[in-house]
Amino acid sequence: MQFLPNTLSRAEALTAGTASLILALTGCTPNRPADTTPSPQATTGLPSAHVHGLAVTPQTSQILLATHDGLFDMTRKPASKIGDTNDLMGFTTGKNGTLYASGHPGPGSELPNPLGLIKSTDGGQTWEHLSRQGNSDFHAITTTKSGIVAFDGQLRTSPDGKTWDTATAGFTPAALAGHPDTDTVLATTPQGIQRSTTSGATWKPVNSGPVIQFAAFADALEAVGVAPDGTTYYSTDAGASWTKKGRTNTEVLALTANRDENGKPKIWAATENGIIVSTDAGTTFQPADAG
């Protein structure tokens, strides 16, 4: 989920105006035909031109990329497809490496369209249907201590991924970021950051915060954000305040963060040229496979 459409350059997207921004926030047409020909990885640095999510599993440090053409293991060279080819529009991780996703079935699949909320406990090899099959295409999903927060045109919260409540929110989130050890959630919007400390039930704007396109938590308190122009920001108080850090050299398509084996925050970003990583709170980045 992005402020700017993946199929346009940043300059073209900015000139497209408000209508294009709304389309980018609300996502793809549910019944569009599936594209069965991924863009060559040698050209883009990624196995698919349409990236929808990024995660790093805490147990194995496996880098997972959710795309229009399925889920890929980016720690392998070349990237390796995991499981079936489904269009994973929304993607996030929960406790113990559990994966949650949503989107559309791939070509030839008998799965319902849209997929609703699905869950994997084996790294994306297989998926369990939890709820809202045929009803919801969640383009933004995150997990919290109390459950799941997701957006399918309405902001919804769930304690178990099966029963849902509709949250009162006067905004459309481009991305949602939470952490399974806390009930704080960040929502990025073109007007600024919205923040919840009630697992998405209630929200308040971060009036002094930057306008960011993506956000991710490294732990319960430390969060990172990336603006549409690549400027990075860091927070040590769960998104209540932010400090400008650095800037990426290429457009960011997805973002994730966690703590490394030494307890330091580590940030990964998917870009058109591949995966980049920062070990200094977003001040500098280098290719994930460098060294």
Side-chain angles (χ1 to χ4, degrees):
M1 181 67 66
Q2 297 177 292
F3 286 174
L4 307 180
N6 282 342
T7 54
L8 300 177
S9 69
R10 184 174 286 125
E12 290 170 331
L14 287 173
T15 59
T18 303
S20 294
L21 177 60
I22 293 173
L23 289 173
L25 288 171
T26 55
C28 302
T29 302
N31 294 319
R32 73 202 181 333
D35 179 4
T36 59
T37 307
S39 298
Q41 190 168 349
T43 301
T44 65
L46 299 174
S48 173
H50 299 277
V51 172
H52 303 309
L54 181 66
V56 176
T57 58
Q59 292 84 1
T60 64
S61 296
Q62 183 183 35
I63 302 172
L64 301 177
L65 190 71
T67 78
H68 174 79
D69 302 295
L71 185 66
F72 289 86
D73 180 358
M74 296 298 294
T75 49
R76 295 178 177 271
K77 301 298 177 185
S80 174
K81 172 75 74 64
I82 302 173
D84 295 334
T85 301
N86 293 310
D87 182 4
L88 303 180
M89 293 299 302
F91 181 70
T92 194
T93 56
K95 280 281 191 183
N96 303 317
T98 299
L99 305 178
Y100 296 91
S102 188
H104 308 286
S109 173
E110 296 181 357
L111 295 175
N113 187 16
L115 293 175
L117 184 67
I118 57 178
K119 173 179 123 175
S120 176
T121 56
D122 58 8
Q125 294 288 347
T126 62
W127 294 88
E128 171 190 354
H129 287 189
L130 290 181
S131 63
R132 298 194 65 80
Q133 278 68 56
N135 293 306
S136 288
D137 171 17
F138 292 113
H139 280 211
I141 311 172
T142 195
T143 59
T144 69
K145 184 178 180 180
S146 296
I148 297 169
V149 185
F151 181 79
D152 64 351
Q154 290 186 310
L155 195 63
R156 304 181 190 273
T157 63
S158 173
D160 54 8
K162 296 180 181 180
T163 60
W164 295 87
D165 291 318
T166 301
T168 301
F171 59 86
T172 297
L176 296 168
H179 191 276
D181 290 335
T182 178
D183 281 336
T184 300
V185 186
L186 304 177
T188 69
T189 80
Q191 293 75 39
I193 302 167
Q194 293 279 340
R195 184 172 182 266
S196 172
T197 58
T198 57
S199 193
T202 58
W203 296 84
K204 292 182 179 180
V206 180
N207 292 323
S208 60
V211 174
I212 57 175
Q213 186 170 356
F214 299 101
F217 279 91
D219 60 21
L221 290 177
E222 295 186 76
V224 61
V226 179
D229 67 356
T231 301
T232 58
Y233 296 86
Y234 206 76
S235 172
T236 58
D237 54 10
S241 63
W242 296 83
T243 301
K244 184 177 178 180
K245 301 299 290 187
R247 186 171 180 174
T248 62
N249 293 324
T250 56
E251 182 179 348
V252 172
L253 307 174
L255 187 72
T256 191
N258 64 22
R259 286 194 170 275
D260 64 17
E261 61 276 10
N262 298 315
K264 295 183 178 180
K266 197 170 184 178
I267 303 159
W268 290 264
T271 76
E272 294 175 337
N273 299 324
I275 308 298
I276 56 176
V277 63
S278 174
T279 56
D280 55 10
T283 302
T284 61
F285 286 82
Q286 64 177 355
D289 56 1

